Structures are given as structure tokens and as C-alpha cells.
Amino acid sequence: MVSMLQVREIEQKLRSQQRSLPYLNIDGARRLLGLPAIQSDEVFSSWIIRVMLSRKINKRRLLEEINWKEAIHLADLNSASFNLKQLVLRFNLIQIGLLERSFLQFEMPFADSLCLTMDIFNRQPIFHFCPHCIAEEPYIRKSWRYAFSYACPDHGCLLLERCTECGESIDFEKLNISKMDDLNIKDLCSCLSCGADLPSQLPHRMSDRTMNIVLDRQALMFSEQSDGIKIKNYIAQIRYSDNGLLNYLNVGVSGSLIFKEDADEVRTAFRKAGIFSTTYWQPSGCIPITKGIGKVKRAKQWVIRHREQLC
């Protein structure tokens, strides 16, 4: 018969094993081994989640190691909060350049640029995905985090916004390892909400002509995204009056300004598929409203809270 003392000793040993990872001491730095390496086109939050899904370090300890207390997707927007050299040493990452490129950066104020990576009204991050790319390598590409990322240039298909099985978008904040175990989720090939296989999901279709238009204009957007002045010209903005004062809120990108003379053709294809709700189609990119102002004000307060958390 096992005594209570022996039970406690076994439990303590198991907890100690869970906290321990193989490591090397190199140049005085204790490096964790056996964790996923960040990929050259991967966004930082995707690497965090893949480390968690490896089950080799738990969520609480990992976030302590990288010194991050906010929502995981917000880490993509704030490289200044991390000691990148220390991360490279601690997690045995190969090149600091790969880590630096994994963050989203804009040459404009945070509150102005948040709409380029977030669905402001639904208060959630943008995580598009290509099922064919996921099948090849299960991680989230940095390019999929942008509101103006519509199609995969490698596979010539539209990106998906949601799991076609459960209708949920990718949301890293829902990650719960116990649930992942129940759903047998081992990597990002699976929907984190329902466990459905993402590579087997079918993208929406459009004509070859429309797809070429989308890919051409998308490539132009990515070539200009590092220029805050140029990219700001494509932002869709809601304008409203509050107590006699004119207010505004950046809510997404303007499809009319991105696609210009082809806007009607692309808008029809997107709306037929019911996708990319953060792309707006008013001709000037300005959206005047007189109703639903309460919803807009709540969204603006949400943006302000995010700014206060990260700035």
C-alpha cells in the first residue's frame, strides 16, 4: 500500500519533470532545447502557440519566460517589449533576424494602424489562412495578419477567415491545452475551436481574371505597407458627430481605394463568398454614419484600451 508521503513525493517529482526541459549551458546562458524553431515568414504569435502545442512548456511558464502579460496576438505589434537577444539565447533560436521580421510594424501611430490587423467591431485579431500552405507547414504566415491579405500567391486561392466546420475564426486566446488534448490537437493543422482539419477545407472560388486583379493589388499593398504615409491612404474611416464634435475611427481598409476601377468586380466576388468584412467599399474610404453611434463609440474605447496597454 502506498503511503500519503509517497504519493506527495511522486506528485512533486511529476511537477518537477513538467517544469524541466532539456537545456545546454552555452556562454553562460541556459538554453531550452526541443522547442519549435521560428520560420522565416512566421508571425511571432504563431511561434508562441506552436511552442505551447508542443506540450514541452506550459502556457504560464512560457509567458513568464518571454515576459508577456497581454493577449497573445498583441505581441505581434510590440517588438519593443521583448529582449530579442535574450529570447534567441534562451530558446535556442538560430538567427535574431528571423525573430525581428516576425513582428508587424507600421510607420504610423498605433491607434491608426490597429485596424490593419484587427477586426475593430468584432474586437478580435485578423488571422486569415491558406489551407494548402497549412498542409505544407502548419504555422501562421505573417502576411495573413493583415486586413489587405486576401489571396495566396503560391496557390492562387482566396484565404479563409474562419473554419468552415464550426464558423470560428482563429483565436489564440481560446487555447486551452486540456481542450486540445480532448480534441487531439497537436499543431496548427487543426482548428483550435473544434479540432477540424484545416488543410482539407476548401477556399472560396473566383474567376481567374478577378483573382489576378486581387493578387496584383495585394502585392502593391505589401510593397507599400512599410510606408506609413502611403498605407494610410487606403484606410477606411468612420466619421460621426458626438455632442456636436466630429469624431473618427479607423475600421479597416477601403476596397474602393485599393482596387480602384476594378472595385465593383472584386466587391461582388467577396460579397458572394461572404468574406473580408473589414474591407469597406465607400468610394472615398470615408463612411459617414448617423445611426449605431453607440457601437462605434464602444469600438473606439476598445482601441484606446489597447493603445494604453501597449504604448
Side-chain angles (χ1 to χ4, degrees):
M1 184 174 178
V2 179
S3 68
M4 289 302 298
L5 178 61
Q6 289 173 313
V7 169
R8 284 195 293 270
E9 288 175 347
I10 292 171
E11 289 176 342
Q12 185 176 3
K13 184 177 181 180
L14 287 173
R15 284 195 297 269
S16 177
Q17 289 175 347
Q18 289 173 346
R19 289 194 298 267
S20 299
L21 277 170
Y23 69 91
L24 286 175
N25 277 315
I26 301 177
D27 298 329
R30 179 169 171 154
R31 298 192 180 197
L32 299 173
L33 302 179
L35 298 175
I38 195 164
Q39 300 299 309
S40 61
D41 58 345
E42 184 172 15
V43 73
F44 185 63
S45 59
S46 170
W47 174 76
I48 293 176
I49 294 301
R50 290 196 303 116
V51 171
M52 291 179 184
L53 288 174
S54 74
R55 274 76 166 179
K56 294 180 178 179
I57 182 170
N58 64 42
K59 181 177 180 178
R60 180 186 59 79
R61 183 184 169 192
L62 174 60
L63 295 180
E64 286 177 355
E65 290 278 358
I66 66 175
N67 193 28
W68 187 249
K69 298 179 181 180
E70 309 299 340
I72 293 171
H73 66 266
L74 290 177
D76 295 336
L77 302 170
N78 202 5
S79 61
S81 293
F82 299 96
N83 185 328
L84 300 187
K85 290 182 179 179
Q86 184 176 347
L87 288 182
V88 167
L89 288 173
R90 184 66 170 143
F91 291 93
N92 203 35
L93 300 175
I94 305 302
Q95 296 180 14
I96 194 170
L98 294 183
L99 201 55
E100 291 171 340
R101 290 197 296 272
S102 70
F103 293 93
L104 309 175
Q105 296 178 342
F106 300 97
E107 295 299 324
M108 66 175 74
F110 174 81
D112 292 341
S113 65
L114 191 63
C115 68
L116 297 174
T117 62
M118 302 284 290
D119 182 340
I120 299 299
F121 283 119
N122 289 315
R123 306 179 192 182
Q124 61 187 23
I126 292 172
F127 281 105
H128 300 161
F129 67 94
C130 169
H132 304 302
C133 288
I134 291 288
E136 293 169 358
E137 292 286 349
Y139 62 88
I140 302 301
R141 278 60 171 174
K142 178 180 173 180
S143 61
W144 298 346
R145 288 284 277 111
Y146 294 100
F148 49 80
S149 182
Y150 303 113
C152 175
D154 294 329
H155 298 102
C157 65
L158 287 171
L159 301 179
L160 290 174
E161 292 182 293
R162 301 176 181 277
C163 170
T164 58
E165 292 293 322
C166 68
E168 293 291 329
S169 60
I170 294 176
D171 187 350
F172 289 160
E173 306 317 309
K174 295 178 181 178
L175 183 77
N176 179 288
I177 292 298
S178 296
K179 180 182 177 182
M180 302 301 106
D181 290 339
D182 293 340
L183 295 173
N184 196 31
I185 294 175
K186 296 181 172 61
D187 56 36
L188 288 175
C189 277
S190 301
C191 171
L192 297 180
S193 295
C194 71
D197 184 58
L198 297 181
S200 65
Q201 301 190 4
L202 298 177
H204 301 287
R205 300 179 64 86
M206 59 169 44
S207 70
D208 290 343
R209 170 188 152 79
T210 311
M211 176 60 70
N212 287 332
I213 292 170
V214 171
L215 287 172
D216 286 346
R217 297 303 299 177
Q218 176 180 287
L220 177 63
M221 293 295 293
F222 275 110
S223 71
E224 296 184 346
Q225 66 91 13
S226 60
D227 188 324
I229 296 176
K230 289 183 179 179
I231 206 70
K232 196 170 184 178
N233 292 331
Y234 298 104
I235 288 178
Q237 186 179 90
I238 282 181
R239 294 185 179 180
Y240 62 99
S241 177
D242 185 19
N243 295 324
L245 298 175
L246 182 64
N247 286 266
Y248 71 89
L249 175 66
N250 293 346
V251 291
V253 292
S254 169
S256 297
L257 297 178
I258 292 173
F259 297 106
K260 299 181 179 179
E261 67 274 8
D262 299 306
D264 287 342
E265 180 177 342
V266 176
R267 177 185 59 190
T268 299
F270 284 2
R271 286 186 173 176
K272 183 178 180 180
I275 52 178
F276 306 131
S277 60
T278 57
T279 297
Y280 295 80
W281 299 97
Q282 283 71 13
S284 65
C286 293
I287 311 164
I289 65 166
T290 56
K291 297 180 180 180
I293 292 177
K295 182 178 180 180
V296 175
K297 291 169 69 174
R298 288 191 294 273
K300 187 167 186 176
Q301 288 301 314
W302 180 78
V303 170
I304 292 171
R305 285 197 300 274
H306 275 68
R307 181 182 63 194
E308 292 172 347
Q309 288 173 346
L310 296 180
C311 298

mmCIF file of all heavy atoms in Angstrom, residues 119 121-122 128 161-162 251-253 274-281:
data_model
loop_
_atom_site.group_PDB
_atom_site.id
_atom_site.type_symbol
_atom_site.label_atom_id
_atom_site.label_comp_id
_atom_site.label_asym_id
_atom_site.label_seq_id
_atom_site.Cartn_x
_atom_site.Cartn_y
_atom_site.Cartn_z
ATOM 1 N N ASP A 119 -10.045 43.152 -36.400
ATOM 2 C CA ASP A 119 -11.444 43.412 -36.721
ATOM 3 C C ASP A 119 -11.984 44.273 -35.583
ATOM 4 O O ASP A 119 -12.295 43.776 -34.497
ATOM 5 C CB ASP A 119 -12.198 42.087 -36.827
ATOM 6 C CG ASP A 119 -13.662 42.268 -37.200
ATOM 7 O OD1 ASP A 119 -14.203 43.378 -37.010
ATOM 8 O OD2 ASP A 119 -14.276 41.304 -37.677
ATOM 9 N N PHE A 121 -14.762 46.072 -34.963
ATOM 10 C CA PHE A 121 -16.121 45.935 -34.425
ATOM 11 C C PHE A 121 -16.334 44.608 -33.701
ATOM 12 O O PHE A 121 -17.060 44.536 -32.713
ATOM 13 C CB PHE A 121 -17.150 46.112 -35.533
ATOM 14 C CG PHE A 121 -17.355 47.552 -35.921
ATOM 15 C CD1 PHE A 121 -17.098 47.979 -37.210
ATOM 16 C CD2 PHE A 121 -17.786 48.488 -35.002
ATOM 17 C CE1 PHE A 121 -17.267 49.304 -37.560
ATOM 18 C CE2 PHE A 121 -17.958 49.817 -35.340
ATOM 19 C CZ PHE A 121 -17.691 50.227 -36.630
ATOM 20 N N ASN A 122 -15.719 43.537 -34.193
ATOM 21 C CA ASN A 122 -15.851 42.241 -33.517
ATOM 22 C C ASN A 122 -14.784 42.033 -32.450
ATOM 23 O O ASN A 122 -14.762 41.017 -31.765
ATOM 24 C CB ASN A 122 -15.792 41.104 -34.534
ATOM 25 C CG ASN A 122 -17.038 41.047 -35.391
ATOM 26 O OD1 ASN A 122 -18.155 41.154 -34.886
ATOM 27 N ND2 ASN A 122 -16.870 40.908 -36.692
ATOM 28 N N HIS A 128 -6.123 35.346 -41.243
ATOM 29 C CA HIS A 128 -6.532 34.610 -42.434
ATOM 30 C C HIS A 128 -5.622 33.391 -42.571
ATOM 31 O O HIS A 128 -4.575 33.315 -41.918
ATOM 32 C CB HIS A 128 -6.408 35.496 -43.680
ATOM 33 C CG HIS A 128 -7.249 36.731 -43.607
ATOM 34 N ND1 HIS A 128 -7.026 37.838 -44.396
ATOM 35 C CD2 HIS A 128 -8.323 37.051 -42.841
ATOM 36 C CE1 HIS A 128 -7.914 38.771 -44.132
ATOM 37 N NE2 HIS A 128 -8.708 38.325 -43.176
ATOM 38 N N GLU A 161 -11.110 32.989 -43.696
ATOM 39 C CA GLU A 161 -11.137 33.765 -42.451
ATOM 40 C C GLU A 161 -11.546 32.922 -41.258
ATOM 41 O O GLU A 161 -11.203 33.235 -40.121
ATOM 42 C CB GLU A 161 -12.143 34.916 -42.573
ATOM 43 C CG GLU A 161 -11.771 36.003 -43.535
ATOM 44 C CD GLU A 161 -12.818 37.096 -43.537
ATOM 45 O OE1 GLU A 161 -13.957 36.839 -43.968
ATOM 46 O OE2 GLU A 161 -12.498 38.210 -43.105
ATOM 47 N N ARG A 162 -12.299 31.860 -41.528
ATOM 48 C CA ARG A 162 -12.885 31.052 -40.464
ATOM 49 C C ARG A 162 -12.822 29.578 -40.821
ATOM 50 O O ARG A 162 -12.740 29.211 -41.999
ATOM 51 C CB ARG A 162 -14.354 31.452 -40.226
ATOM 52 C CG ARG A 162 -14.528 32.908 -39.840
ATOM 53 C CD ARG A 162 -15.989 33.292 -39.707
ATOM 54 N NE ARG A 162 -16.112 34.701 -39.366
ATOM 55 C CZ ARG A 162 -16.017 35.187 -38.135
ATOM 56 N NH1 ARG A 162 -15.824 34.342 -37.123
ATOM 57 N NH2 ARG A 162 -16.120 36.466 -37.890
ATOM 58 N N VAL A 251 -11.427 51.726 -39.212
ATOM 59 C CA VAL A 251 -12.094 50.441 -39.013
ATOM 60 C C VAL A 251 -11.618 49.339 -39.953
ATOM 61 O O VAL A 251 -12.036 48.188 -39.822
ATOM 62 C CB VAL A 251 -13.627 50.599 -39.151
ATOM 63 C CG1 VAL A 251 -14.193 51.401 -38.003
ATOM 64 C CG2 VAL A 251 -14.000 51.220 -40.496
ATOM 65 N N GLY A 252 -10.783 49.644 -40.921
ATOM 66 C CA GLY A 252 -10.343 48.619 -41.860
ATOM 67 C C GLY A 252 -9.672 49.260 -43.052
ATOM 68 O O GLY A 252 -9.069 50.332 -42.941
ATOM 69 N N VAL A 253 -9.776 48.606 -44.199
ATOM 70 C CA VAL A 253 -9.201 49.151 -45.429
ATOM 71 C C VAL A 253 -10.309 49.427 -46.435
ATOM 72 O O VAL A 253 -11.387 48.829 -46.390
ATOM 73 C CB VAL A 253 -8.154 48.198 -46.040
ATOM 74 C CG1 VAL A 253 -6.926 48.114 -45.144
ATOM 75 C CG2 VAL A 253 -8.728 46.810 -46.282
ATOM 76 N N GLY A 274 -19.104 36.003 -48.988
ATOM 77 C CA GLY A 274 -19.339 36.404 -47.601
ATOM 78 C C GLY A 274 -18.062 36.532 -46.800
ATOM 79 O O GLY A 274 -18.006 36.132 -45.632
ATOM 80 N N ILE A 275 -17.023 37.125 -47.408
ATOM 81 C CA ILE A 275 -15.715 37.192 -46.749
ATOM 82 C C ILE A 275 -15.175 38.618 -46.721
ATOM 83 O O ILE A 275 -15.649 39.495 -47.429
ATOM 84 C CB ILE A 275 -14.691 36.277 -47.454
ATOM 85 C CG1 ILE A 275 -14.664 36.563 -48.968
ATOM 86 C CG2 ILE A 275 -15.003 34.816 -47.194
ATOM 87 C CD1 ILE A 275 -13.651 35.745 -49.739
ATOM 88 N N PHE A 276 -14.179 38.823 -45.857
ATOM 89 C CA PHE A 276 -13.404 40.054 -45.744
ATOM 90 C C PHE A 276 -14.280 41.263 -45.362
ATOM 91 O O PHE A 276 -14.358 42.254 -46.068
ATOM 92 C CB PHE A 276 -12.634 40.328 -47.030
ATOM 93 C CG PHE A 276 -11.763 39.180 -47.460
ATOM 94 C CD1 PHE A 276 -11.783 38.698 -48.761
ATOM 95 C CD2 PHE A 276 -10.934 38.554 -46.532
ATOM 96 C CE1 PHE A 276 -10.987 37.626 -49.139
ATOM 97 C CE2 PHE A 276 -10.130 37.479 -46.909
ATOM 98 C CZ PHE A 276 -10.157 37.018 -48.222
ATOM 99 N N SER A 277 -14.901 41.140 -44.198
ATOM 100 C CA SER A 277 -15.806 42.189 -43.711
ATOM 101 C C SER A 277 -15.064 43.442 -43.275
ATOM 102 O O SER A 277 -15.691 44.490 -43.081
ATOM 103 C CB SER A 277 -16.647 41.658 -42.548
ATOM 104 O OG SER A 277 -15.803 41.245 -41.469
ATOM 105 N N THR A 278 -13.753 43.374 -43.095
ATOM 106 C CA THR A 278 -13.006 44.573 -42.705
ATOM 107 C C THR A 278 -12.534 45.367 -43.922
ATOM 108 O O THR A 278 -11.732 46.295 -43.784
ATOM 109 C CB THR A 278 -11.787 44.204 -41.832
ATOM 110 O OG1 THR A 278 -10.951 43.287 -42.539
ATOM 111 C CG2 THR A 278 -12.237 43.576 -40.521
ATOM 112 N N THR A 279 -13.011 44.996 -45.107
ATOM 113 C CA THR A 279 -12.789 45.791 -46.315
ATOM 114 C C THR A 279 -14.095 46.511 -46.639
ATOM 115 O O THR A 279 -15.146 45.878 -46.770
ATOM 116 C CB THR A 279 -12.371 44.901 -47.503
ATOM 117 O OG1 THR A 279 -11.123 44.280 -47.207
ATOM 118 C CG2 THR A 279 -12.214 45.724 -48.775
ATOM 119 N N TYR A 280 -14.031 47.833 -46.743
ATOM 120 C CA TYR A 280 -15.216 48.671 -46.950
ATOM 121 C C TYR A 280 -15.190 49.241 -48.366
ATOM 122 O O TYR A 280 -14.129 49.409 -48.971
ATOM 123 C CB TYR A 280 -15.265 49.783 -45.900
ATOM 124 C CG TYR A 280 -15.443 49.245 -44.490
ATOM 125 C CD1 TYR A 280 -14.365 48.734 -43.775
ATOM 126 C CD2 TYR A 280 -16.690 49.228 -43.888
ATOM 127 C CE1 TYR A 280 -14.533 48.224 -42.494
ATOM 128 C CE2 TYR A 280 -16.866 48.733 -42.604
ATOM 129 C CZ TYR A 280 -15.790 48.231 -41.912
ATOM 130 O OH TYR A 280 -15.956 47.724 -40.643
ATOM 131 N N TRP A 281 -16.380 49.588 -48.869
ATOM 132 C CA TRP A 281 -16.492 49.876 -50.297
ATOM 133 C C TRP A 281 -17.042 51.262 -50.618
ATOM 134 O O TRP A 281 -17.415 51.532 -51.752
ATOM 135 C CB TRP A 281 -17.351 48.794 -50.957
ATOM 136 C CG TRP A 281 -16.717 47.442 -50.810
ATOM 137 C CD1 TRP A 281 -17.000 46.501 -49.864
ATOM 138 C CD2 TRP A 281 -15.641 46.908 -51.595
ATOM 139 N NE1 TRP A 281 -16.180 45.405 -50.011
ATOM 140 C CE2 TRP A 281 -15.341 45.625 -51.080
ATOM 141 C CE3 TRP A 281 -14.920 47.386 -52.704
ATOM 142 C CZ2 TRP A 281 -14.345 44.810 -51.610
ATOM 143 C CZ3 TRP A 281 -13.926 46.576 -53.229
ATOM 144 C CH2 TRP A 281 -13.644 45.307 -52.695
#
